[in-house]
Amino acid sequence: MNDESSLRERLIDVGVDLVLTEGSASVGLREIARRAGVSHGAPRRYFPTHHALLSAIGRRGFEDLAAMFEAAVAGATTPRGQLEALARAYVGYALERRGMFELMWRHDLLDGAAQASDQPRLRESTLPLFGHFTGLVARCLSEREAARSADGPNEAGPPPAVTAAALWSNLHGMAQLWAWGSLQLALAPPLGGEPGDDQRDRLFAAVLDAHLGPVTS
């Protein structure tokens, strides 16, 4: 890595730290320059606008999430098991890195034009993750249909991409509501006990069953 690339990555590192400790509202070109120990104008060589900087930080978040996904599925041997591992990793990332998670899904960044000639749009960082998710959903649905085919023809369901989008949306909402504490309040009467891993385990099972069908022996 040359000095220019090294400085660019260091500026992004500082931005990531700011997002995680103080939230995305604290991230600015001047503050990043100050913390990185460079001139105020230095970041603009790489990030001509504030959105370009935030998009670069968001891309780092998606890279980290992809690495977490890869590690999460390493021990899973079935498509359903891999999806459950991805679901846990996704919600875990949202709860542990809340500021970054919120930044990554900001509509103005995902929907904005490319901020630099050599950098893709932020939304393109979501495509490999969603593609992986959709592929696993397709395999789960295919296995379920094969198991049910002996009982006669079944009514066709939505395409795998639609089911994957619905499942993803469900997990995203679960992550947000859990982070706000709303789900814990709603679940306290029916499930009882202190909010924690056991309640989340039941939620993961319910979410997967709702979109993929229950696991059959």
Side-chain angles (χ1 to χ4, degrees):
M1 182 181 295
N2 60 38
D3 291 342
E4 289 293 302
S5 297
S6 178
L7 177 55
R8 184 179 186 279
E9 292 303 306
R10 181 154 61 95
L11 293 170
I12 296 174
D13 288 341
V14 172
V16 169
D17 288 340
L18 270 171
V19 170
L20 292 176
T21 58
E22 301 181 27
S24 60
S26 65
V27 178
L29 294 170
R30 291 178 65 88
E31 179 61 15
I32 282 184
R34 185 186 70 80
R35 295 195 179 207
V38 297
S39 68
H40 291 324
R44 291 197 178 276
R45 296 206 303 268
Y46 314 99
F47 314 110
T49 66
H50 188 228
H51 270 202
L53 170 62
L54 295 178
S55 294
I57 295 170
R59 278 192 292 274
R60 176 71 65 78
F62 282 113
E63 291 169 4
D64 292 343
L65 183 58
M68 287 184 64
F69 277 5
E70 183 176 354
V73 302
T77 58
T78 65
R80 176 78 171 232
Q82 291 180 23
L83 273 175
E84 182 176 351
L86 292 185
R88 292 177 180 278
Y90 188 78
V91 174
Y93 184 95
L95 298 179
E96 295 166 10
R97 303 170 72 87
R98 189 171 176 184
M100 181 66 75
F101 186 78
E102 293 174 353
L103 173 69
M104 289 159 58
W105 297 110
R106 272 180 46 172
H107 180 75
D108 59 326
L109 300 180
L110 289 169
D111 196 45
Q115 300 293 339
S117 60
D118 62 338
Q119 296 297 319
R121 299 183 184 199
L122 180 59
R123 61 184 163 190
E124 294 177 22
S125 298
T126 71
L127 300 181
L129 299 180
F130 184 64
H132 187 193
F133 210 70
T134 301
L136 289 174
V137 167
R139 290 171 61 190
C140 286
L141 296 178
S142 178
E143 290 180 0
R144 187 181 70 176
E145 292 306 310
R148 295 168 57 186
S149 61
D151 298 328
N154 298 299
E155 183 178 344
V162 174
T163 300
L167 176 54
W168 185 4
S169 299
N170 203 159
L171 291 171
H172 194 91
M174 175 182 167
Q176 290 283 37
L177 291 171
W178 193 273
W180 292 332
S182 303
L183 270 181
Q184 295 91 314
L185 293 175
L187 291 174
L191 294 186
E194 293 297 321
D197 292 341
D198 181 63
Q199 287 188 357
R200 287 212 297 270
D201 287 344
R202 298 194 200 186
L203 284 172
F204 286 127
V207 168
L208 292 174
D209 286 352
H211 296 286
L212 303 175
V215 176
T216 57
S217 56

